[in-house]
Amino acid sequence: MAAGASGGHAPPGRRHAPVRPGGGIGDAPACASECRDASRTAAEEAAHRAGRNAMNRLFGLLLLLAGLAYPFAVYYGLQHQVSPRLFALLLGSLWLARALVGGARPGSRWLALAALGFCLALGLADEPLLLRGYPVLLNLLLFAAFGLSLYQGMPVAERLARLREPDLPPRAVRYTRQVTQVWTGYFLCSALVCIGLALWAPLAWWTLYTGLLAYLLMGLLFAGEWLVRQRVRRHA
C-alpha cells in the first residue's frame, strides 16, 4: 500500500508547482534578475544624463564668465603683445567642450559651430583686429536666435514666459512677441555699434562699450520691460 501511494498521486500539501510551456519554476528568479538589471540600467542612464547636464551648465557658466572678462582681457593682451592665437585656443577649448556635452539641440549646435569657426579663423589669421569681432559674433547670433523665433516656432520671450505661466492669455502672447521684437532690434543695433567701434574707434572705447555700456543698456532694457509688463498686467 505504501508503495502504491508513492507511485500514485502526491500527498496533500506537497503538490508540484505548475509547469508553463517554455518555462519552469525557475522563471521567477530570472524575471527578478532582469528587473534588477533594467532598474540598474535606468539608474545609470539617469546618472549619466544628470552628469552631462551638470557639465553643460558648468561650461555654460565658464563661457559666460569668459564673455564678461573678454573685452578687458583683449585690452590687456593688445597692450602687452599677447598673441591672438592664445585667445583662440582658450575660447575654442571652452566652446568645443560645450559642444561635446551640450547634446543635440539645434540652437546650441549652431551657436557652438559659429563660435568655433570664429576661433579657427582667429587662430589661423593671428590678426589682432579680429579679436574685436567676438562681441559682434555674439550679438549677431542673438539677433538671429530672437529674430528667427518670430517666424519659426515660438518667440523667445513667450517661451521664457511660459516657463512660469504655461497658459498665457492672448494679450500676453502678443506682448511677448513685441518684447522679442525689441530684443531683436537691440542685438542688431549692438552688433552695428560693435562693428563701428572695432573698425574706427580707439581700443579703449571698444572696451568701454563691450565690457560695460552694453550690459548697462541691457539692464535698462530689462528694467523698462519689467515696468511696462506691470502696467500691462494692471490693465489686463
Side-chain angles (χ1 to χ4, degrees):
M1 295 294 292
S6 62
H9 297 289
R14 299 199 51 188
R15 296 183 181 277
H16 295 293
V19 179
R20 293 174 299 175
I25 59 175
D27 287 351
C31 181
S33 176
E34 291 176 0
C35 291
R36 284 196 299 270
D37 292 342
S39 299
R40 189 181 302 114
T41 302
E44 290 174 353
E45 290 178 355
H48 177 71
R49 286 195 300 269
R52 193 180 186 91
N53 290 335
M55 293 297 293
N56 189 28
R57 287 192 294 269
L58 173 62
F59 285 115
L61 176 61
L62 291 176
L63 282 170
L64 174 63
L65 295 176
L68 293 173
Y70 182 84
F72 306 102
V74 168
Y75 182 85
Y76 177 87
L78 291 181
Q79 295 293 325
H80 294 82
Q81 306 300 316
V82 176
S83 172
R85 286 176 175 157
L86 178 60
F87 289 90
L89 177 62
L90 295 176
L91 269 182
S93 298
L94 287 176
W95 278 111
L96 180 60
R98 176 66 184 274
L100 293 176
V101 303
R105 290 178 297 178
S108 299
R109 184 166 59 245
W110 284 111
L111 180 64
L113 287 175
L116 286 171
F118 169 81
C119 293
L120 179 62
L122 179 62
L124 292 175
D126 197 27
E127 171 57 52
L129 183 61
L130 275 181
L131 287 170
R132 303 195 196 187
Y134 187 59
V136 177
L137 173 68
L138 295 182
N139 278 283
L140 288 178
L141 289 173
L142 289 169
F143 162 73
F146 277 72
L148 289 175
S149 73
L150 293 169
Y151 302 98
Q152 298 178 0
M154 187 182 298
V156 172
E158 180 183 348
R159 195 180 312 149
L160 295 175
R162 287 187 183 275
L163 295 176
R164 299 184 61 181
E165 298 182 38
D167 298 324
L168 287 178
R171 181 184 179 90
V173 172
R174 291 193 298 271
Y175 174 75
T176 54
R177 183 175 184 83
Q178 293 170 349
V179 171
T180 305
Q181 291 171 343
V182 170
W183 279 106
T184 301
Y186 168 79
F187 289 123
L188 177 60
C189 292
S190 184
L192 294 175
V193 171
C194 289
I195 291 173
L197 292 173
L199 293 177
W200 299 298
L203 178 62
W205 292 14
W206 175 87
T207 305
L208 178 63
Y209 178 79
T210 58
L212 179 62
L213 294 182
Y215 297 107
L216 289 177
L217 291 174
M218 290 179 67
L220 289 174
L221 192 54
F222 270 116
E225 188 276 324
W226 183 85
L227 292 174
V228 173
R229 192 195 321 157
Q230 305 312 307
R231 183 178 179 181
V232 170
R233 283 180 172 175
R234 284 196 302 267
H235 291 81

